[in-house]
């Protein structure tokens, strides 16, 4: 199948590697050198513009920071729409917002384009392994067409409802991730300050009811070791929690816990900057407590 992939970022690039193995792939990236380097290494071609990438494609996949970034690539003489053939499948793997997803789907529908918001979960490791969870919002018929394409990098591919449902699911997932990071950081900082060795505290937590994905899979290799690898920008997590808060507003719910998580992520982003990794929020907790969670 002829597939166009736009957005070779931290998670987009390993997703595109899987597509290059199965499909006739064309890649586009805002920083063109990144797309050229990718094409030199993998079986695919680099396009100079979104229009060129879209031309001749049967499937278009985008993976950019925000829905607004994707929407900004649609129009104009070099935009995606200028190259679109009728009947194309448009899969937006951005962790986006439901309202913009619905607006893009409605904009593309008169051209016979089937749109799905299809954000992913599983991190850069999951993208490399091809084991991502894909959360799809689309018409059922679009989902059936999308599934075999998404299987290139996804292990669990779930249809959650109409356009926007995938983005909503992903935002709530990441809001809960943020809550877990913040809470685990606070709890562990208190334990270390009280004299409990950090590694022992994490081990006991992971055999008890307070454990989470964060305490089991993120804190041991990244925080206890002091490795702090960069895999997912805090700015993107902050964006996701903000989308979840938008969902609370839309549905008329108070949601004090998620709103506080959003405020804390926002403050951490302002303090640590646009390139900080999401787990570095724990560094702020450490700094405030005057301890390090290592061991
Ligand atoms: P990165 O910040 O690593 O990469 C972003 C990509 O988007 C780059 O290719 C960048 O191009 C491009 N880009 C940024 N702004 C624009 C713009 N205005 N127009 C066109 N291209 C643009 O992000 P990730 O790859 O980490 O994340 C992409 C999406 O996937 C986000 O929605 C994120 O929330 C989600 N996600 C990320 C995960 C992760 O572990 N990293 C996990 C699950 C979901 P350039 O090279 O020019 O900067």
């Amino acid at each position: 199948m002829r597939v166009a992939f736009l957005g070779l970022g931290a998670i987009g690039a390993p997703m595109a590697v899987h597509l290059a193995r199965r499909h006739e792939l064309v890649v586009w990236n805002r920083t063109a050198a990144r797309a050229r380097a990718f094409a030199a290494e993998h079986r695919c071609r680099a396009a100079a513009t979104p229009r060129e990438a879209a031309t001749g494609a049967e499937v278009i996949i985008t993976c950019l920071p925000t829905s607004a970034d994707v929407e900004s690539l649609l129009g104009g003489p070099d935009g995606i729409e200028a190259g679109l053939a009728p009947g194309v499948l448009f899969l937006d793997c951005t962790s986006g917002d439901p309202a913009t997803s619905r607006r893009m789907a409605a904009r593309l529908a008169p051209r016979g384009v089937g749109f799905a918001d299809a954000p992913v979960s599983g991190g850069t490791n999951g993208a490399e392994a091809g084991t991502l969870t894909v959360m799809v919002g689309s018409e059922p018929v679009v989902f059936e067409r999308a599934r075999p394409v998404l299987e290139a990098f996804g292990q669990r591919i779930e249809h959650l409802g109409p356009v926007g449902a995938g983005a909503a699911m992903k935002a709530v997932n990441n809001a809960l991730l943020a809550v877990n990071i913040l809470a685990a950081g606070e709890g562990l900082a208190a334990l270390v300050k009280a004299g409990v060795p950090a590694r022992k505290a994490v081990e006991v937590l992971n055999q008890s009811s307070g454990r989470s994905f964060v305490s089991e899979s993120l804190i041991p290799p990244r925080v206890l070791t002091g490795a702090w690898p960069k895999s997912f920008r805090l700015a993107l997590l902050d964006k996701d929690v903000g989308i979840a808060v938008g969902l609370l507003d839309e549905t008329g719910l108070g949601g004090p816990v998620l709103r506080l998580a959003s405020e804390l992520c926002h403050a951490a982003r302002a303090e640590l900057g646009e390139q900080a990794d999401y787990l570095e929020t724990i560094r702020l907790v450490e700094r405030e407590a005057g301890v390090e969670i290592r061991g």
Side-chain angles (χ1 to χ4, degrees), residues 102-188:
R102 289 191 288 267
R103 196 165 58 235
M104 288 194 284
R107 174 170 171 172
L108 295 167
R111 310 178 63 137
V113 173
F115 180 94
D117 43 311
V120 300
S121 180
T124 51
N125 290 341
E128 278 158 27
T131 56
L132 293 171
T133 295
V134 192
M135 308 170 189
V136 184
S138 70
E139 287 174 13
V141 62
V142 172
F143 178 70
E144 289 314 322
R145 286 174 65 201
R147 190 208 293 268
V149 183
L150 297 170
E151 276 171 354
F153 47 76
Q155 193 169 50
R156 181 166 191 156
I157 297 156
E158 291 287 349
H159 185 233
L160 292 150
V163 170
M169 180 76 230
K170 171 69 188 179
V172 170
N173 178 78
N174 276 22
L176 298 188
L177 171 67
V179 168
N180 277 297
I181 291 170
L182 294 161
E186 286 179 11
L188 288 170

Side-chain angles (χ1 to χ4, degrees), residues 8-11 29-31 34 64-65 69 95 120 231 233 239:
L8 298 168
I11 197 136
N29 194 67
R30 181 181 61 178
T31 304
R34 229 165 156 180
L64 303 182
D69 295 327
S95 298
V120 300
S231 65
R233 290 190 298 121
K239 170 259 310 177

Side-chain angles (χ1 to χ4, degrees), residues 8 11 18 23 30 50 59 63 65 71 115 120 124 129 148 175 201 207 224 235 239 283 290:
L8 298 168
I11 197 136
H18 291 286
H23 299 285
R30 181 181 61 178
V59 182
C63 191
E71 200 172 28
F115 180 94
V120 300
T124 51
Q207 283 156 13
L224 288 181
K239 170 259 310 177
R283 278 190 149 158

Side-chain angles (χ1 to χ4, degrees), residues 5 26 73 99 116 120 126 134 136 157 195 253 276 284:
F5 192 96
V26 179
L73 295 189
V120 300
V134 192
V136 184
I157 297 156
L253 293 177
L284 290 185

Side-chain angles (χ1 to χ4, degrees), residues 97-99 102 168 171-172 175 238-255 258-259 262:
D97 68 87
R102 289 191 288 267
V172 170
D238 175 41
K239 170 259 310 177
D240 293 333
V241 189
I243 295 169
V245 167
L247 199 61
L248 291 174
D249 291 339
E250 254 177 53
T251 51
L253 293 177
L258 298 192
R259 287 181 198 276
S262 176

